Amino acid sequence: MADNAWSPDSWRSKPIKQDVVYDDPKELEAVVGRVANLPPLVSSPEIDRLRAQLKDVAEGRAFLLQGGDCAESFDYCNPTAIEDKLKVLLQMSLVLLWGMRLPIVRIARMAGQYAKPRSSPYETVNGETIMSYRGDNVNSIDPACRRPDPQRLLQAYFHSASTVNFVRLLLDSGFADIHQPEAWDLGHVRNPEIRREYQSIVNRLTDSLEFMSVIGATSSQASALNTVDLYTSHEALLLEYEQALTRAVPKPLPGAEPALAGRKRPYEPSTPPRKALAPELCDWYNLSAHFIWIGDRTRQLDGAHVEYFRGVKNPVGVKVGPTMDPAELVRVLDILDPDFESGRVTLITRYGAAKIADYLPAHVRAVQETRHRPVWCCDPCHGNTTTAPTGHKTRSFDAIISEITSSISIHRELGSRLSGVHLELTGEHVTECTGGSQELSHSDLPNNYQTFCDPRLNYEQSLDIAFKIAKVYESEREENN
């Protein structure tokens, strides 16, 4: 194999971080083999559609909203939890759409975000040193069940499949139809001012729809308001699982007429190929999710994760924090985006409100000196995690907003543009982050602290974020006009 040749398993020749060591390698091999023979969770045309939409984001014609749980639990695979998460993402996107007058690309941290990197493989619980919890697809949150279990990879697949299926059902059933504002329950928005402002947006939108109906606009013209695209994503941490769901998809026929250009060769990636395709005739797609990202702990230039990511056609994300040298950032882009495809890479910056001014400008300038056109996306959650006097891990709403607004300002000053946000959130009414319109304090955290990983913005705080971002961009739009 040539030094630069890529295959779905070429990552195995590279050093790997955050790997999971199983007691029985043969059991792992059998489970991964089973996953490799199961149908894909998403399709390559859906991924291609996301690639096109992220190109629009990178070039300033759309905005990215990515959000969901820090780490999914298998228990979250239930109708209520999925509906709540979907509802808050759709409502946030509606607010952003109104304020920004741009299409919103929606990506959920959902249907696969079951693994978590950890700073140490061990932790101390009740005075006993045990293996760290690595996510539901590795081991259990129960201290008595921390042995990595390969069967959990199979459980992760089926829970992901069930989640994807239910999301498709909801969207196909009109869950996102804003012609039906009564379906968008605002009863849990306790702050009257936020409720009135959001209801005003819904009312103005539905008034516009009624006007379109009066003047004879067709239903097809309004179809974008009946349903939406919603894509799935996760941190691709466990490469054995990712490889098992990496499938060969035939390239478009060379020399095809324009009408045929989008057609594929007669091959179904959902089943094991009867005859292997020649490498030059196929592209490789990770069909476990539409979008995958590399974490801050696994982005080594010579590492297994960068090696795997460089070969898949999916749009990919890279977490960028204070430890990332600007020259290293450029090198990562060179490896992952050798063809300079706009939107191929999303740079998910995570510094902390107190550090963003020290690091983001150098990263932006370094990228501006290249031909790369990434999506710049702000993760304002990870760098703002603290420990409350109650002992709970928490995040300050004010610090989260501060990092977002600072990112917007820094990009603007440098002639760049913040084109997305990446948030850890839930549609539930938890008490894990302080502040927001509810004015939650540290003393409120024990009231409904549910996370077994990092703290999440609750339903109302998530809407607060959307309103504040929309107002910033609405003011910018009015100034430009």
Side-chain angles (χ1 to χ4, degrees), residues 1 125 163 243 258 299 314 334 365 372 407 438 460 478:
M1 181 181 291
V125 177
T163 301
Q243 178 187 329
R299 51 172 172 73
N314 306 58
D334 289 342
R365 292 190 186 101
H372 297 291
S407 184
Q438 294 173 290
E460 189 167 46
E478 290 175 351

Side-chain angles (χ1 to χ4, degrees), residues 236-275:
L237 194 62
L238 304 183
L239 295 183
E240 294 90 350
Y241 178 83
E242 305 300 335
Q243 178 187 329
L245 284 164
T246 303
R247 309 291 168 85
V249 176
K251 294 180 179 180
L253 292 170
E257 295 297 324
L260 303 176
R263 293 187 183 179
K264 303 289 185 181
R265 294 180 186 272
Y267 166 78
E268 297 181 3
S270 61
T271 57
R274 296 175 178 84
K275 183 178 180 181

Side-chain angles (χ1 to χ4, degrees), residues 50-110:
L50 176 59
R51 288 171 57 201
Q53 291 178 12
L54 287 175
K55 177 180 179 180
D56 287 341
V57 175
E59 296 179 356
R61 296 186 297 272
F63 189 83
L64 170 63
L65 171 63
Q66 186 171 8
D69 291 291
C70 168
E72 288 181 281
S73 163
F74 291 160
D75 291 340
Y76 294 169
C77 185
N78 68 76
T80 300
I82 295 170
E83 286 178 0
D84 287 346
K85 198 179 304 178
L86 188 58
K87 178 183 290 186
V88 72
L89 287 171
L90 293 174
Q91 290 185 336
M92 291 176 72
S93 68
L94 181 61
V95 173
L96 293 172
L97 175 68
W98 182 257
M100 303 180 74
R101 299 296 197 271
L102 286 174
I104 306 300
V105 178
R106 306 161 187 85
I107 303 179
R109 291 173 58 116
M110 181 190 286

